[in-house]
C-alpha cells in the first residue's frame, strides 16, 4: 500500500514583524493554499493546526481557531504542539488521517506572532521546569547554538568565516524570495561588525523571531488522480521519532544530558534522517535539495552531516566546495532558510515544505534548483521528504 | 541590619557545604544517574525502577564546549545593573557519563577556556534579593583560587 500523499497546494503569509493577530496570517496562508490547490474550503474534511504558545488560548487550540476563522463547516479538527516541530506533527497528523482512510482532503496551517528579542519561558517560580531553570541561570537558546558551534571549531576545524559563509549564502538565496523577511545580500564585513551574542556567534549568525503563516493542502493520491490536472508533488515520509535513551546530545531546554553510565549512549539526529530515508526508499544521493533548520548559521553544517550529505566532520569542506549553494550539487536552504525568514515557530516547518513544493513544481523563480525531483526538510525534531509524481 | 545567610537560588539542586556538590539521584534498579534528581520513575526504557538514592555528582569534569551571554537574558534571569556578560560551559562528568551546563565563575572569559579543560564546581552569587544572597553552582578552572 502506498504511504504517499499528494500536496495539492501551498500558501504563505510573508514573514516579517507585522505585529498583527496570528490568525490573520493563518487565514491568509490557508486561503492562498486552497486557491493554489483549487480546493474549496467546504471540501476540506480535516483541518490540522500547529499550535503557538505565545498568543493565548486561540493559539493553544490553533486547529479550531483557524477552522472558526475560515468559517465552521464541520470538518474534523486536530491541533499539534511540539515546539519547532509543531508544523511537522500537524502535517504528520493530516497525512495519517488520509492514509488511514479517515479523510480525502486535509488542510494544515501554522502561524505565529512573536515578541521582540529572546523567546522566554512562562512566568512564575517553577524549579521543576528545566526551561525555567535554564533561563533563571541565564542560558538562552543561542547558548546552545554557540556550544554546538564551538564544538565544531574544536573538533572539525570550523571557523567563524565558515559560519559567516553560510549566512552569506542563505542571504543571497533569500534575496530572491518574496516571502522572506530579510532580503538583503549581506557582506562579510557587515556580519563581522554585528554584535556578539554568544561567542563565537554574532547577531547576524543567529536567526530572529518572526511573524508569519504557512499552509498546505494534502490529499490522498486517489483524490488527486480523480480531480485530474497536473501531477502534484508527494510526501513520501515524515519522521517524528524520539531520541533513544541515553541521549548524549546537549539539548534545549535541558541543563544536563541523559547519563550513559549504565546503558550506553545514542546520538539522535542522524537517526531522524535515517528513518525518513528508509520510509521514503531514497537516500542522500537521491536528493535535489534540502531545507534545514539554521537557527544559527553553524547549525546548518551540523545538518549536512545528520542528513548524510557528507561524513561527520566534512561539512565545512562541503560548504567551501560550493555544493550547497544554488547551482551546486545539493543546494541547502534555497529559500534563504531561517537566516532570511526568522523563526515563526509553528509555521516554520510548513514553510520548509512549501519551498520544496515550489521547487519540485519548478515555480521557484530566480532561486529555482534545476531539475528538482526529491527534497528533504529538517527542523529541530522532525524531517520529511517530498518528491514529485513519477 | 544583620546580613541574612546565603541560600540556594534553586532549592534541592546542590549542597551548600564546602566543597559543594550537585545533587543527583541514582536508580537502585539499573544504576542510571539523573540530574536534576529523579525520585519517582526511571527514564531508562528497559527499567521500571521506582526507588532512587540521592547521590553527590562528581564535582570535577572536562569542558565539552563553552560560550558566553553577551546579551542580557530575559526573566526569570535576575540581571545586575549594569549588566555584566558571563561565560557558560557544558561540562562532561566522567563517572556519570553526563554533560551538565552552568555558568563559569565570575571573571572567567571565553578566551580563558578551551575544550577539554578541567573544571570544578563552586558556589557563587546568582543575585541578591531582600538583602539575601542567592547562590548557584558554577564551573571554575581547576586550581584557580576562588
Amino acid at each position: 500500500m502506498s504511504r504517499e500523499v499528494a500536496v495539492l497546494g501551498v500558501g504563505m503569509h510573508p514573514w516579517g514583524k507585522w505585529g498583527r493577530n496570528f490568525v490573520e496570517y493563518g487565514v491568509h496562508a490557508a486561503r492562498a493554499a486552497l486557491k493554489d490547490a483549487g480546493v474549496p474550503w467546504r471540501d476540506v474534511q480535516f483541518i490540522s493546526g500547529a499550535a503557538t504558545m505565545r498568543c493565548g488560548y486561540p493559539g493553544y487550540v490553533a486547529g479550531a481557531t483557524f477552522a472558526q476563522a475560515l468559517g465552521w463547516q464541520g470538518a474534523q479538527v486536530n491541533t499539534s504542539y511540539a515546539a519547532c516541530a509543531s508544523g511537522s506533527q500537524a502535517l504528520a497528523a493530516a497525512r495519517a488521517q488520509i492514509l488511514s482512510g479517515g479523510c480525502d482532503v486535509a488542510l494544515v496551517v501554522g502561524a505565529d506572532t512573536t515578541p521582540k528579542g529572546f523567546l522566554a519561558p512562562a512566568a512564575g517560580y517553577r524549579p521543576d521546569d528545566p526551561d525555567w531553570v535554564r533561563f533563571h541561570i541565564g542560558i538562552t537558546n543561542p547558548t546552545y547554538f554557540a556550544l554546538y558551534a564551538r564544538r565544531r571549531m574544536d573538533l572539525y576545524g570550523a571557523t567563524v568565516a565558515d559560519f559567516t559563509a553560510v549566512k552569506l549564502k542563505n542571504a543571497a538565496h533569500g534575496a530572491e524570495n518574496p516571502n522572506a523577511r530579510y532580503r538583503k545580500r549581506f557582506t562579510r564585513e557587515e556580519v563581522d561588525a554585528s554584535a556578539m551574542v554568544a561567542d563565537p556567534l554574532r547577531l547576524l549568525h543567529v536567526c530572529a523571531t518572526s511573524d508569519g503563516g504557512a499552509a498546505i493542502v494534502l490529499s490522498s493520491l486517489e483524490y488527486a488522480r480523480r480531480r485530474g490536472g497536473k501531477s502534484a508533488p508527494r510526501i513520501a515520509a515524515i519522521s517524528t521519532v524520539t531520541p533513544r535513551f541515553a541521549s548524549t546530545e546537549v539539548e534545549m531546554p535541558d541543563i544536563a544530558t541523559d547519563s550513559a553510565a549504565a546503558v550506553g549512549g545514542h546520538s539522535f539526529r542522524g537517526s531522524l534522517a535515517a528513518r525518513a530515508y528508509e520510509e521514503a526508499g531514497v537516500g542522500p544521493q537521491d536528493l535535489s535539495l534540502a531545507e534545514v533548520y539554521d537557527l544559527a548559521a553553524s547549525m546548518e553544517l551540523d545538518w549536512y552531516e545528520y542528513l548524510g550529505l557528507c561524513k561527520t566532520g566534512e561539512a565545512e569542506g562541503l560548504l567551501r566546495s560550493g555544493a550547497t549553494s544554488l547551482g551546486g550539487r545539493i543546494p541547502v536552504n534555497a529559500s534563504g532558510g531561517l537566516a532570511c525568514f526568522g523563526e515563526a515557530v509553528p509555521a516554520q516547518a510548513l514553510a520548509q515544505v512549501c519551498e520544496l513544493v515550489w521547487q519540485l513544481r519548478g515555480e521557484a523563480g530566480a532561486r529555482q534548483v534545476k531539475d528538482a525531483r526529491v527534497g528533504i526538510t529538517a527542523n529541530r525534531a522532525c524531517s520529511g521528504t517530498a518528491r514529485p509524481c513519477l | 541590619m544583620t546580613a541574612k545567610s546565603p541560600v540556594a537560588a534553586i532549592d534541592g539542586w546542590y549542597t551548600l557545604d564546602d566543597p559543594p556538590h550537585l545533587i543527583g539521584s541514582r536508580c537502585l534498579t539499573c544504576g542510571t544517574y539523573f540530574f536534576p534528581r529523579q525520585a519517582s520513575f526511571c527514564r531508562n526504557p528497559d527499567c521500571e525502577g521506582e526507588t532512587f538514592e540521592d547521590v553527590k555528582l562528581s564535582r570535577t569534569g572536562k569542558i565539552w564546549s563553552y560560550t558566553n551571554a553577551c546579551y542580557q537574558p530575559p526573566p526569570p534571569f535576575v540581571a545586575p545593573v549594569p549588566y555584566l556578560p558571563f561565560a557558560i560551559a557544558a561540562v562532561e562528568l566522567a563517572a556519570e557519563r553526563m554533560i551538565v551546563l552552568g555558568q563559569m565563575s565570575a571573571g572567567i572569559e571565553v578566551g580563558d577556556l578551551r575544550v577539554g579543560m578541567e573544571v570544578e564546581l563552586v558556589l557563587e552569587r546568582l543575585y541578591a534579593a531582600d538583602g539575601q544572597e542567592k547562590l548557584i553552582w558554577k564551573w571554575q578552572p581547576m586550581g584557580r583560587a576562588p
Side-chain angles (χ1 to χ4, degrees):
Chain A
M1 171 189 154
S2 167
R3 308 253 288 173
E4 295 183 332
V5 294
V7 183
L8 298 183
V10 293
M12 286 171 67
H13 183 288
W15 263 228
K17 210 73 170 176
W18 313 110
R20 298 201 305 274
N21 191 305
F22 78 101
V23 184
E24 274 188 49
Y25 314 142
V27 168
H28 179 100
R31 290 190 171 154
L34 290 166
K35 189 176 172 201
D36 185 43
V39 170
W41 160 234
R42 279 202 175 270
D43 288 3
V44 171
Q45 299 154 341
F46 184 79
I47 180 162
S48 187
T52 167
M53 293 295 123
R54 277 176 293 278
C55 303
Y57 185 77
Y60 306 155
V61 293
T65 297
F66 295 131
Q68 183 185 38
L70 290 163
W72 296 125
Q73 43 81 310
Q76 298 188 76
V77 63
N78 167 74
T79 298
S80 299
Y81 186 74
C84 304
S86 301
S88 297
Q89 298 216 340
L91 191 68
R95 173 173 175 262
Q97 189 77 3
I98 290 168
L99 291 179
S100 68
C103 72
D104 292 316
V105 190
L107 172 66
V108 187
V109 189
D112 206 2
T113 302
T114 52
K116 191 172 155 50
F118 289 110
L119 296 180
Y125 177 77
R126 295 196 325 285
D128 290 342
D129 175 354
D131 201 39
W132 182 90
V133 170
R134 56 122 173 176
F135 275 102
H136 191 48
I137 63 178
I139 294 176
T140 61
N141 294 6
T143 303
Y144 294 86
F145 311 159
L147 291 172
Y148 308 144
R150 176 63 66 181
R151 188 78 184 157
R152 282 206 78 83
M153 294 170 81
D154 186 73
L155 254 54
Y156 309 132
T159 63
V160 172
D162 289 323
F163 306 153
T164 303
V166 171
K167 170 70 178 185
L168 301 183
K169 167 182 78 71
N170 290 349
H173 292 175
E176 305 292 350
N177 191 339
N179 285 311
R181 174 177 171 192
Y182 302 104
R183 299 185 60 188
K184 174 178 161 64
R185 292 171 193 272
F186 283 98
T187 65
R188 188 168 292 281
E189 291 69 33
E190 286 169 318
V191 178
D192 289 345
S194 66
M196 190 69 85
V197 174
D199 194 305
L201 301 177
R202 293 180 178 275
L203 191 60
L204 288 177
H205 291 126
V206 181
C207 89
T209 60
S210 291
D211 296 3
I216 297 171
V217 178
L218 290 185
S219 79
S220 62
L221 296 190
E222 197 191 298
Y223 180 96
R225 257 194 306 273
R226 264 204 320 269
R227 66 198 287 278
K230 62 181 177 180
S231 66
R234 299 171 184 182
I235 294 176
I238 300 177
S239 165
T240 60
V241 294
T242 71
R244 288 172 198 278
F245 190 87
S247 176
T248 55
E249 272 149 44
V250 171
E251 198 60 82
M252 281 189 295
D254 293 332
I255 287 289
T257 62
D258 290 342
S259 159
V263 296
H266 293 276
S267 166
F268 172 41
R269 301 205 180 283
S271 64
L272 198 55
R275 175 71 176 76
Y277 288 137
E278 186 190 331
E279 186 175 0
V282 302
Q285 71 285 351
D286 300 315
L287 297 176
S288 314
L289 76 160
E291 287 284 310
V292 307
Y293 231 58
D294 55 324
L295 289 164
S298 47
M299 290 163 75
E300 182 173 307
L301 300 171
D302 296 331
W303 276 112
Y304 293 176
E305 298 169 3
Y306 295 137
L307 294 183
L309 307 183
C310 63
K311 295 195 182 109
T312 302
E314 295 181 358
E316 287 74 16
L318 189 70
L319 171 77
R320 293 169 195 160
S321 77
T324 58
S325 299
L326 269 176
R329 176 169 65 78
I330 169 72
V332 176
N333 285 333
S335 68
L338 272 61
C340 298
F341 276 76
E343 192 186 20
V345 179
Q348 209 65 47
L350 299 177
Q352 292 180 311
V353 177
C354 290
E355 176 68 11
L356 283 198
V357 168
W358 284 317
Q359 290 284 354
L360 295 175
R361 295 198 309 210
E363 296 171 1
R367 63 180 198 286
Q368 180 64 46
V369 174
K370 196 162 173 286
D371 299 328
R373 292 190 63 255
V374 181
I376 189 166
T377 73
N379 51 70
R380 279 309 280 171
C382 300
S383 65
T385 72
R387 58 179 176 179
C389 277
L390 300 173
Chain B
M1 192 173 95
T2 39
K4 300 175 193 167
S5 50
V7 293
I10 306 167
D11 289 327
W13 283 49
Y14 38 94
T15 65
L16 297 182
D17 46 0
D18 186 24
H21 288 84
L22 295 173
I23 305 171
S25 63
R26 189 164 174 268
C27 174
L28 291 176
T29 311
C30 74
T32 296
Y33 293 92
F34 292 96
F35 179 76
R37 58 194 288 282
Q38 187 83 12
S40 55
F41 50 86
C42 182
R43 292 197 279 110
N44 173 357
D46 300 315
C47 178
E48 295 184 355
E50 295 182 344
T51 48
F52 295 81
E53 60 178 352
D54 279 2
V55 288
K56 292 179 173 178
L57 299 188
S58 305
R59 54 175 305 281
T60 61
K62 289 184 175 172
I63 290 183
W64 180 83
S65 192
Y66 57 93
T67 182
N68 60 5
C70 297
Y71 279 39
Q72 180 177 319
F77 184 76
V78 182
V81 183
Y83 175 69
L84 208 59
F86 53 91
I88 297 168
V91 174
E92 281 184 291
L93 307 183
E96 294 83 358
R97 293 190 61 194
M98 173 191 282
I99 298 172
V100 180
L101 275 55
Q103 287 191 15
M104 290 300 301
S105 54
I108 299 293
E109 295 182 4
V110 161
D112 302 327
L113 303 175
R114 55 185 164 71
V115 171
M117 177 183 268
E118 298 213 29
V119 295
E120 64 179 323
L121 195 84
V122 296
L123 289 182
E124 282 185 10
R125 168 180 151 143
L126 182 62
Y127 64 100
D130 303 326
Q132 189 165 42
E133 288 215 304
K134 306 279 188 174
L135 300 178
I136 195 72
W137 82 88
K138 294 190 185 181
W139 299 108
Q140 177 170 276
M142 280 294 257
R144 191 180 170 106

